């Protein structure tokens, strides 16, 4: 009632388009304390249930308000292994569920979370937590994204010998090669890796577990491979945490033209360049008319990267109609609302087209030059083309960012685990025996189990799977679920 919501500031677009570093300016200490004071300490904290990792939000808000930062990071770490990840790239479903959001602006929970962890790192409060004893049990974690990292850290702290296998050349999964550096610089991953190594976790990069099908578009810089049979024979438990990497394609006429790429062919290359690598034949957007097909976060990341390349124009397609600018809170609160969302990348320069479908890719001399489109509308629950709405838009580079349909099937088949109707690893989340697949001692967590989702959900599943694996190995577990 006394203070208004204050958002984190951004570096101006004219400045931030010249580099790939983070441009969000975090809250100052006093500003974070004032924002913490806006929290009402609700009798029923819907923010807590709105957060997939169930962060104890009212408590750390109050601790920041009272200047108890050291205790605040302990509370935050009790539920979230990597708040520097979520404090930067989580869409903050906790804020949608905030009671204050029903008739006012939500508490800036995400900005407070980031302020806590950033101060904790600067003060040296984030230190390795090696186990007090070793169990002698060995666990293999396949995939080093947020689910694999969270599970590995929890299992190592429980005393198990944990080895993380990553097919790419660096740790982090989509955090490393799917999230642009201007949204999250990779130093945040690197210092967590150092912490985890000090806790006993071993990372083996450039190792492909199983095989990728021929012609796969999944990013893979593996230099060696290991079979599922080797893992199941050498380790007491195996956790599959490889994500949902199979991209959704758009099989329209002309799809084989040069200049049409999946987002995850485009984005990882720039991240490698930012890391100092040389990328042969890098996909570049400078001087080109770029069309991004897909209206989600990955599409937005393609927009921001294309603008930094110096694209002549950037247009983003969304098949669905344009959402309302303001949600109907009486219908949606405390759930995630359906409304128009404008990202920082959109603000840097982008035309957004809604209710538009791609009919054909056009080209000359084997290269894409344009896209034939049509407007669509929904009638009786079906999408129909609007008569006479066809048009042709220029396109020198087309980026497909329509989400991911499933994990890489050949990897799951290699372990012989049952799959659900969507091609994900079948594993329940029951309290007892949760995250176990149909194959003895093989578990699955994160996007490989639930399908394409959020970083915060991956962390939750990694933590919960770690507890289930600890129970499986030891008969009981003290790890939080």
């Amino acid at each position: 009632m006394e203070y208004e919501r204050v958002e984190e500031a951004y570096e101006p677009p004219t400045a931030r388009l010249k580099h790939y570093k983070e441009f969000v300016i975090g809250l100052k200490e006093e500003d974070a304390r004032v924002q913490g004071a806006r929290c009402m300490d609700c009798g029923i904290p819907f923010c807590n249930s709105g957060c997939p990792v169930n962060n104890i939000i009212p408590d750390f808000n109050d601790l920041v308000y009272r200047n108890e930062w050291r205790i605040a990071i302990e509370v935050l770490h009790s539920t979230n292994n990597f708040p520097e990840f979520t404090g930067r790239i989580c869409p903050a479903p906790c804020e949608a569920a905030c009671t204050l959001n029903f008739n006012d602006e939500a508490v800036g929970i995400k900005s407070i979370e980031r302020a806590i962890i950033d101060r904790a790192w600067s003060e040296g409060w984030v230190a390795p937590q090696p186990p007090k004893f070793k169990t002698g049990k060995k666990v293999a974690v396949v995939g080093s994204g947020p689910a694999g990292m969270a599970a590995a850290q929890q299992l190592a702290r429980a005393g198990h010998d944990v080895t993380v296998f990553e097919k790419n050349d660096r740790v982090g999964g989509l955090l490393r090669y799917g999230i642009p550096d201007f949204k999250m610089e990779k130093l945040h991953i690197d210092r967590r890796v150092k912490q985890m190594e000090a806790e006993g976790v071993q990372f083996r990069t450039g190792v492909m577990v199983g095989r990728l099908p021929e012609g796969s578009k999944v990013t893979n810089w593996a230099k060696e491979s290991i079979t599922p049979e080797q893992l199941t024979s050498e380790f007491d438990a195996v956790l599959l945490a490889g994500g949902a990497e199979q991209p959704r394609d758009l099989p329209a006429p002309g799809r084989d033209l040069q200049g049409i790429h999946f987002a995850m062919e485009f984005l990882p290359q720039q991240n490698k360049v930012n890391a100092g690598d040389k990328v042969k034949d890098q996909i570049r957007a400078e001087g080109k008319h770029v069309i991004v097909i897909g209206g989600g976060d990955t599409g937005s990341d393609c927009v921001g990267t294309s603008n930094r390349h110096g694209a002549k124009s950037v247009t983003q397609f969304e098949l669905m109609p344009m959402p309302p600018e303001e949600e109907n809170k009486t219908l949606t609160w405390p759930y995630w609302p359906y409304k128009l969302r404008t990202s920082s990348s959109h603000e840097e320069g982008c035309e957004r087209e809604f209710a538009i479908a791609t009919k054909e890719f056009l080209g000359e001399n084997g290269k894409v030059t344009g896209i034939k489109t049509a407007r669509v509308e929904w009638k009786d629950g079906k999408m129909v083309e609007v008569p006479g709405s066809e048009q042709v838009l220029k396109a020198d580079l087309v980026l497909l960012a329509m989400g991911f349909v499933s994990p890489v099937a050949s990897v799951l088949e290699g372990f012989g685990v049952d799959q659900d109707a969507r091609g994900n690893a079948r594993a329940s989340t029951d309290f007892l025996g949760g995250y176990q697949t149909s194959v003895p001692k093989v578990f699955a967590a994160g996007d490989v189990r639930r399908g394409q989702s959020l970083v915060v959900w991956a962390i939750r599943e990694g933590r919960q799977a770690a507890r289930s694996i600890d129970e499986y190995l030891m008969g009981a577990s003290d790890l939080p679920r």
Side-chain angles (χ1 to χ4, degrees), residues 250 253-255 257-261 283-293 306 311-317 353 356 358-373 391-400:
L250 183 56
R255 170 64 181 86
L257 290 166
Q258 294 180 32
I260 304 173
H261 303 275
I283 302 166
R284 298 284 302 179
E286 63 256 85
K288 296 179 180 178
H289 295 286
V290 179
I291 291 183
V292 179
I293 301 179
S306 296
K312 184 176 292 185
S313 70
V314 182
T315 305
Q316 186 175 21
F317 285 4
E353 297 282 352
I356 189 169
T358 299
K359 297 190 67 175
E360 183 180 357
F361 298 106
L362 307 176
E364 295 177 3
N365 302 319
K367 296 182 179 180
V368 67
T369 59
I371 296 181
K372 182 185 290 186
T373 67
Q391 60 178 336
V392 174
L393 299 178
K394 286 184 179 181
D396 306 306
L397 175 62
V398 178
L399 301 171
L400 306 180

Side-chain angles (χ1 to χ4, degrees), residues 81-82 139-141 143 145-158 160 162 164 196 201 239-241 445 458-467 469 479:
N81 294 66
F82 314 118
V139 182
V141 177
M149 287 183 69
Q153 185 166 62
Q154 294 295 94
L155 288 165
R157 290 175 176 178
H160 305 303
V162 182
V164 178
M196 293 170 66
V201 178
L239 173 64
L240 305 181
I459 294 173
R460 170 196 174 102
E461 295 222 344
R463 288 171 60 89
Q464 292 190 343
R467 180 184 171 94
I469 293 170
L479 290 174

Side-chain angles (χ1 to χ4, degrees), residues 65-99:
Y65 165 64
R66 297 179 185 280
N67 212 29
E68 297 283 357
W69 293 83
R70 184 70 180 263
I71 303 175
I73 187 56
E74 293 176 5
V75 171
L76 182 50
H77 266 152
S78 72
T79 55
N80 186 352
N81 294 66
F82 314 118
E84 63 270 45
F85 301 167
T86 51
R88 283 168 168 78
I89 59 176
C90 182
C94 55
E95 293 188 16
C98 174
T99 305

